[in-house]
Amino acid sequence: MKRLQAIRKAVFPVAGLGTRFLPATKSIPKEMLPIVDKPLIQYAVDEAVEAGIDTLIFVTNRKKRAILDYFAADGDLQTHLQAQGQHALFTRIADIIPADIKVEYVIQEQALGLGHAVWCARELVGDEPFAVLLADDLIRSPAEGCLQQMVEAWHATGAGSIGVEEIPPAMTGRYGIVSLRSDSDGRDYIRGIVEKPAPADAPSNLGVVGRYILPAEIFSLLASVQAGVGGEIQLTDAIAALLGNQPLLAHAFAGVRYDCGSRQGFIQATVDYALEHEELRDGLLQHFAKLTHNHDRAPGD
Ligand code: UTP
């Protein structure tokens, strides 16, 4: 049997315009927005490193200096924290990227779509299967992270996978939607995939979330797909073409996903992560109790 390659490289497309978060995203990349005190991109990087990834590839644009700055070493800050005896913070800063992890960047000159962003990473990825993580889909898992679960499925089956979850049927127009087929191994494989169908045309209510393990063959398919929904080069369309000759698993991950590209999802993630934080939880609960009390009181009480 052919030995499976390890999943070593992860692509982080961070070159989108983040229009749903304007005006903040006029100068702050969406992926740098913090949930409690950590930027979204750091949660995705931590998930990738936990899953055994050793090379992080950021697809960025010329305006997103903040992401490059965030991942660059800052000797002055570290010297300052050390001198102040702030050891815990020093370690957090030093661990932003563990020492044995390689970081690479490629520029997407124009935001032509997610598919185009992934295609921009083709030379850095080369001829091996790889992961893609969209940092604005934040996934809080009870034990192993979502990507780790997908890497395990890769080792068990040799098939790539896409993260999926059930979404409200009325919201199919915001997601890639998959239909499934079951295989003799008892796992769910993707039969078809379509980008942002109207509810009446959707093959299911299983929406794609921003985690993928893909074979390198996807790059040649991305090179030939035409602009699709929204005039963008869609990763979904290349995946649909891939399904003709490669099986892909639908990975219904264990965990909760927050769509942090939307204000609602971002705020819910902030509240949930803050409630898990021992320094923040009690103050926040007191605040909620006060809000509920004020809300329940009739005006003039
Ligand atoms: P989204 O569609 O969620 O991000 O793309 P967006 O376009 O930045 O956000 P809105 O819809 O305008 O608010 C999913 C991911 O793909 C990246 C984004 O940065 C995000 O992480 N992306 C999207 C690119 O890197 N390049 C693109 O051309 C488009």
Side-chain angles (χ1 to χ4, degrees), residues 205-217:
N205 66 336
L206 273 184
V208 171
V209 305
R211 298 293 183 278
Y212 308 79
I213 290 182
L214 296 171
E217 285 81 357

Side-chain angles (χ1 to χ4, degrees), residues 12-33:
F12 299 84
V14 292
L17 301 178
T19 53
R20 285 171 294 164
F21 248 106
L22 281 169
T25 43
K26 183 165 177 285
S27 63
I28 306 167
K30 172 169 71 175
E31 298 80 6
M32 285 302 296
L33 296 173

Side-chain angles (χ1 to χ4, degrees), residues 17-94:
L17 301 178
T19 53
R20 285 171 294 164
F21 248 106
L22 281 169
T25 43
K26 183 165 177 285
S27 63
I28 306 167
K30 172 169 71 175
E31 298 80 6
M32 285 302 296
L33 296 173
I35 300 295
V36 182
D37 53 11
K38 227 165 70 165
L40 281 168
I41 190 69
Q42 180 76 59
Y43 288 91
V45 162
D46 292 349
E47 185 183 325
V49 171
E50 179 213 343
I53 297 293
D54 65 19
T55 304
L56 313 173
I57 301 169
F58 296 99
V59 182
T60 183
N61 69 32
R62 292 194 189 280
K63 288 188 184 162
K64 291 202 170 177
R65 273 242 46 111
I67 290 183
L68 276 73
D69 289 344
Y70 178 74
F71 287 113
D74 186 339
D76 290 348
L77 176 61
Q78 285 180 256
T79 307
H80 173 80
L81 292 172
Q82 215 161 18
Q84 300 282 315
Q86 304 245 41
H87 302 300
L89 265 183
F90 175 88
T91 307
R92 283 192 81 186
I93 300 296

Side-chain angles (χ1 to χ4, degrees), residues 93-105:
I93 300 296
D95 285 351
I96 283 178
I97 299 283
D100 50 347
I101 302 292
K102 196 164 150 194
V103 179
E104 298 183 303
Y105 294 94

Side-chain angles (χ1 to χ4, degrees), residues 68-192:
L68 276 73
D69 289 344
Y70 178 74
F71 287 113
D74 186 339
D76 290 348
L77 176 61
Q78 285 180 256
T79 307
H80 173 80
L81 292 172
Q82 215 161 18
Q84 300 282 315
Q86 304 245 41
H87 302 300
L89 265 183
F90 175 88
T91 307
R92 283 192 81 186
I93 300 296
D95 285 351
I96 283 178
I97 299 283
D100 50 347
I101 302 292
K102 196 164 150 194
V103 179
E104 298 183 303
Y105 294 94
V106 61
I107 299 283
Q108 183 189 27
E109 293 289 352
Q110 266 184 295
L112 296 179
L114 173 60
H116 181 260
V118 171
W119 180 77
C120 289
R122 66 199 178 283
E123 286 175 9
L124 293 175
V125 171
D127 186 22
E128 59 182 283
F130 65 103
V132 178
L133 294 94
L134 306 187
D136 51 352
D137 271 338
L138 173 60
I139 301 181
R140 193 162 57 98
S141 299
E144 289 170 346
C146 180
L147 191 65
Q148 169 77 37
Q149 299 164 30
M150 291 166 68
V151 166
E152 283 171 13
W154 160 262
H155 285 295
T157 63
S161 56
I162 303 182
V164 297
E165 73 172 357
E166 281 187 19
I167 54 146
M171 288 175 64
T172 58
R174 295 200 205 161
Y175 290 86
I177 302 291
V178 299
S179 56
L180 301 184
R181 63 177 175 83
S182 292
D183 213 337
S184 52
D185 64 4
R187 294 180 186 257
D188 287 329
Y189 286 81
I190 296 174
R191 180 193 299 279

